[in-house]
Amino acid sequence: EVQLQASGGGSVHPGGSVRLSCTTSGFTFGVYSIGWLRQAPGKEREVVSCMRSSDGSTYYADSVKDRVTISSDSAKNTVYLQINNVKPEDTATYYCAADPGYCSRLAAKYDYWGKGTLVTVSS
């Protein structure tokens, strides 16, 4: 059974950094694409970043490309999302999700989901 669990959210001051973790199990970690998605209040769910260990591919949304880094630890079956210089618009519930193919920019393409973790950016 595919399992994903996001963690690491919390309250962050503008300009600070957060690192989110996604622990996974139940599938071949390197083959699947692991995406980070978020849903802000009043907005649609969007793909923030994605990576696929088997080919080293990554994807970043244009809006966060200069502030976000996705990484992984294959020994732990874990994917991380580092967000630097956080802004109020980063406030959202963040989810990690898996897809058996390539990294998709569309949230609907991800087949497996975990529970989200809330990031709140405020002074």
Side-chain angles (χ1 to χ4, degrees), residues 3-4 22-35 51-55 70-80 97-101:
Q3 301 282 346
L4 305 99
C22 176
T23 57
T24 72
S25 64
F27 61 94
T28 303
F29 182 79
V31 173
Y32 276 59
S33 296
I34 307 298
M51 73 174 300
R52 189 180 187 183
S53 296
S54 61
D55 58 12
I70 191 168
S71 61
S72 67
D73 184 339
S74 60
K76 298 180 179 179
N77 290 345
T78 300
V79 176
Y80 306 96
D99 184 86

Side-chain angles (χ1 to χ4, degrees), residues 12-74:
V12 189
H13 295 306
S17 298
V18 296
R19 191 178 78 152
L20 308 180
S21 299
C22 176
T23 57
T24 72
S25 64
F27 61 94
T28 303
F29 182 79
V31 173
Y32 276 59
S33 296
I34 307 298
W36 281 100
L37 300 88
R38 69 185 181 186
Q39 187 163 24
K43 296 185 178 181
E44 299 294 325
R45 188 171 297 184
E46 64 174 338
V47 178
V48 177
S49 185
C50 181
M51 73 174 300
R52 189 180 187 183
S53 296
S54 61
D55 58 12
S57 62
T58 59
Y59 163 78
Y60 298 97
D62 289 341
S63 61
V64 301
K65 193 175 184 67
D66 58 337
R67 301 186 293 115
V68 169
T69 301
I70 191 168
S71 61
S72 67
D73 184 339
S74 60

